Amino acid sequence: MRIHFLGAAQEVTGSLTLVDTGRGTLLVDCGLYQGRRTESRQRNRDLPAEARQADAAILTHAHIDHSGSLPTLVKSGFRGTIFATPATRDLCAYMLRDSAFIQQADAEYMNRKFANDPDFQEIEPLYTEVDAVRTLEQFVTVSYHKPFQPLPGVSAQFIDAGHILGSASVVVEVDGQRLAFSGDLGRAGLPILRDPEFPQPPLDYLVMESTYGNRVHGDLAQMHTDLERVVKQTATRGGKVIVPAFAVGRTQELLYALATLRQEGRLPSIPVFVDSPLASNVTGVFRLHPECFDAETRKFLDEHGEAFSFPEVRFIQSRDESMRLNTLKGPAIIISASGMCEAGRVLHHLRNNIENPNNTILVIGYMAKHTLGRKLVERSPRVKIFGVERDLRARVEILNAFSAHADRDNLLAYASTSGVGAKRIFLVHGEPDQQQPLGRLIAERGLKVHTPARGEVQELV
């Protein structure tokens, strides 16, 4: 076998890995790359030939940096089956169409705004909603722990990764060799979802994410206390809390936390707006898949009937409703996508609120390099939104405890358990400053570890 590291190698977004099994080629994930605009457009438009020619694909979960280039793949001629869990397919039914809609809307806005600029090159969306729907027709769903054959003579099985609804690690077996892909791993003890499962050794090879390979997240018990503090302090100033949040996972986790705080009487009664049609639809998908929930969440549902809403929550659908939030007076919480502030309605809310020192931008998720979200995390004094530079006067609060990614200790435990006896552990989906320290810790435990570069090919012997 050979493994081709085509994306998310020494970087976080754009997951794209190909396994040449000797019986056909198998693509694991096909995600959008998010970074500098020009580079992102080029990489997302021009997928590697190896990916386009794959025989089948496995999708570990629905996040756009893992799924968002599937319509481009299909548009370019891929006709293979895409295997995923039922919840992942249901999420993609909304997410891929939403991705197409956002691309088209943003392209139209930018083309209109810079129509008279002679140096501006007109932007075309990567794919349309028709392409996204055509992609969904190639999905086949498989539940956790049920073996399936993505290619003749190749066996695979999903196990729960505990990252977002439907997320999976996948174990592939070919001619007696066992290869596992972690996908994105969740954290033990987080609400809503079950804890991640570890692939059972022995494995010959393990491909493992390393997003937070050099960071230990905050105490989960402190998460609600910190959220309470940020909301109360901002409300006292009369300001708004603007939360860039992934529509899948992070929005629902935040709503669950806010609902819990309201049940406990720890938050003031202020309006909460979920300004993301995708997040609204995705929350409905969550309600359809209680089989993914942990015991704590099922108990909350039994006692309160609803885990993701309370009287102050309003889900915004139309553009007019979203625009009316610009004139909203008084304290409020506005949760909007996209999570890394690279597209979508959150950009409009940032544009209208970033220069008011009474407001707070609340960061509860990972922000990749060169994204607007990373610039906010780094508290750059001036940031560009829709091509216009603006002063960052709003407060920026970062609550890492909300992260749905495994941290250093979780990753080390995963490698030490599942990687015992493996010929090699490959670290992907992480930036070098996170991967290298994790790699050293793994090596200190006597395990063989390698951090491949993008485009690298490794023989699996």
Side-chain angles (χ1 to χ4, degrees):
M1 289 194 293
R2 293 183 181 88
I3 185 166
H4 301 243
F5 297 96
L6 304 176
Q10 300 183 21
E11 59 193 4
V12 167
T13 65
S15 287
L16 189 64
T17 307
L18 184 89
V19 183
D20 185 345
T21 68
R23 298 171 180 267
T25 53
L26 181 63
L27 194 65
V28 180
D29 289 338
C30 190
L32 279 177
Y33 172 76
Q34 296 165 297
R36 291 190 178 96
R37 294 295 176 90
T38 301
E39 181 185 6
S40 296
R41 292 190 189 107
Q42 184 272 320
R43 285 180 56 175
N44 291 327
R45 183 183 63 247
D46 303 324
L47 295 179
E50 302 98 316
R52 300 196 307 270
Q53 296 163 7
D55 296 308
I58 291 178
L59 179 59
T60 62
H61 66 288
H63 272 153
I64 286 298
D65 65 327
H66 289 256
S67 71
S69 284
L70 285 171
T72 304
L73 187 74
V74 170
K75 183 180 177 181
S76 64
F78 174 78
R79 293 295 176 264
T81 299
I82 302 166
F83 295 91
T85 66
T88 293
R89 194 274 177 195
D90 288 348
L91 290 173
C92 283
Y94 289 108
M95 294 187 69
L96 296 182
R97 289 158 53 209
D98 182 76
S99 175
F101 175 81
I102 287 176
Q103 288 178 50
Q104 183 173 347
D106 286 352
E108 289 174 353
Y109 178 86
M110 296 297 286
N111 291 340
R112 185 172 62 251
K113 183 176 180 64
F114 295 102
N116 297 322
D117 185 342
D119 297 324
F120 179 74
Q121 293 185 341
E122 187 169 297
I123 298 171
E124 292 186 11
L126 294 169
Y127 49 81
T128 66
E129 188 173 355
V130 172
D131 297 315
V133 172
R134 187 177 296 122
T135 302
L136 294 169
E137 294 172 355
Q138 294 178 216
F139 272 69
V140 168
T141 62
V142 185
S143 298
Y144 295 122
H145 307 125
K146 291 190 175 180
F148 62 97
Q149 283 198 332
L151 295 170
V154 178
S155 176
Q157 186 177 94
F158 289 127
I159 62 174
D160 199 336
H163 174 60
I164 64 167
L165 192 80
S167 62
S169 301
V170 60
V171 180
V172 178
E173 187 166 349
V174 186
D175 295 332
Q177 287 207 87
R178 299 181 75 233
L179 168 65
F181 293 84
S182 72
D184 283 358
L185 292 169
R187 303 168 59 195
L190 277 180
I192 303 179
L193 301 179
R194 294 190 299 262
D195 291 347
E197 299 178 275
F198 289 13
Q200 290 299 308
L203 297 173
D204 292 285
Y205 297 94
L206 172 61
V207 180
M208 191 179 83
E209 71 118 317
S210 52
T211 311
Y212 286 119
N214 194 32
R215 181 181 297 175
V216 177
H217 294 318
D219 185 359
L220 289 171
Q222 188 66 23
M223 183 168 66
H224 286 191
T225 300
D226 289 338
L227 178 61
E228 176 187 9
R229 171 184 57 79
V230 171
V231 172
K232 284 183 174 178
Q233 288 177 351
T234 307
T236 299
R237 298 194 300 269
K240 300 177 181 63
V241 180
I242 309 298
V243 191
F246 293 109
V248 179
R250 208 56 46 83
T251 293
Q252 291 74 32
E253 290 162 10
L254 180 58
L255 287 172
Y256 182 82
L258 291 170
T260 301
L261 290 171
R262 287 293 292 127
Q263 286 287 342
E264 296 171 354
R266 295 168 58 185
L267 284 184
S269 179
I270 62 175
V272 177
F273 299 96
V274 181
D275 188 19
S276 166
L278 175 60
S280 302
N281 292 327
V282 162
T283 302
V285 175
F286 267 69
R287 295 185 178 105
L288 293 175
H289 288 279
E291 76 277 7
C292 296
F293 296 166
D294 60 17
E296 177 188 2
T297 303
R298 290 197 297 271
K299 182 174 183 292
F300 190 96
L301 286 168
D302 290 342
E303 293 176 353
H304 305 290
E306 172 60 68
F308 308 114
S309 188
F310 46 95
E312 290 85 357
V313 174
R314 181 177 174 186
F315 289 87
I316 302 297
Q317 289 288 346
S318 73
R319 183 178 298 182
D320 288 343
E321 287 180 296
S322 177
M323 292 176 64
R324 282 197 288 272
L325 295 180
N326 295 335
T327 60
L328 186 69
K329 304 297 182 184
I333 300 171
I334 300 175
I335 307 165
S336 189
S338 70
M340 294 191 191
C341 309
E342 284 297 287
R345 291 183 179 181
V346 73
L347 290 175
H348 297 274
H349 296 302
L350 290 171
R351 178 187 63 187
N352 287 297
N353 292 281
I354 198 169
E355 295 188 316
N356 185 340
N358 293 328
N359 297 331
T360 299
I361 300 168
L362 177 59
V363 176
I364 59 173
Y366 183 83
M367 300 296 186
K369 277 186 176 180
H370 312 304
T371 62
L372 173 58
R374 176 65 72 90
K375 292 180 175 65
L376 296 175
V377 167
E378 294 170 349
R379 296 177 173 85
S380 299
R382 289 179 65 79
V383 297
K384 189 174 289 187
I385 304 175
F386 291 128
V388 178
E389 285 201 343
R390 299 182 184 276
D391 293 324
L392 174 55
R393 296 196 183 102
R395 301 191 184 198
V396 178
E397 294 273 359
I398 303 167
L399 301 188
N400 286 323
F402 268 96
S403 176
H405 273 279
D407 65 6
R408 181 198 68 196
D409 294 346
N410 302 141
L411 293 169
L412 194 57
Y414 190 90
S416 300
T417 301
S418 296
V420 171
K423 298 174 185 177
R424 190 71 58 88
I425 297 172
F426 297 107
L427 297 183
V428 297
H429 204 280
E431 293 169 358
D433 64 335
Q434 300 295 315
Q435 291 181 323
Q436 291 170 7
L438 177 63
R440 288 193 293 268
L441 290 173
I442 292 173
E444 287 173 3
R445 282 155 176 76
L447 304 174
K448 297 178 181 179
V449 62
H450 177 61
T451 305
R454 184 164 66 94
E456 186 173 326
V457 180
Q458 286 279 330
E459 296 275 351
L460 307 184
V461 294

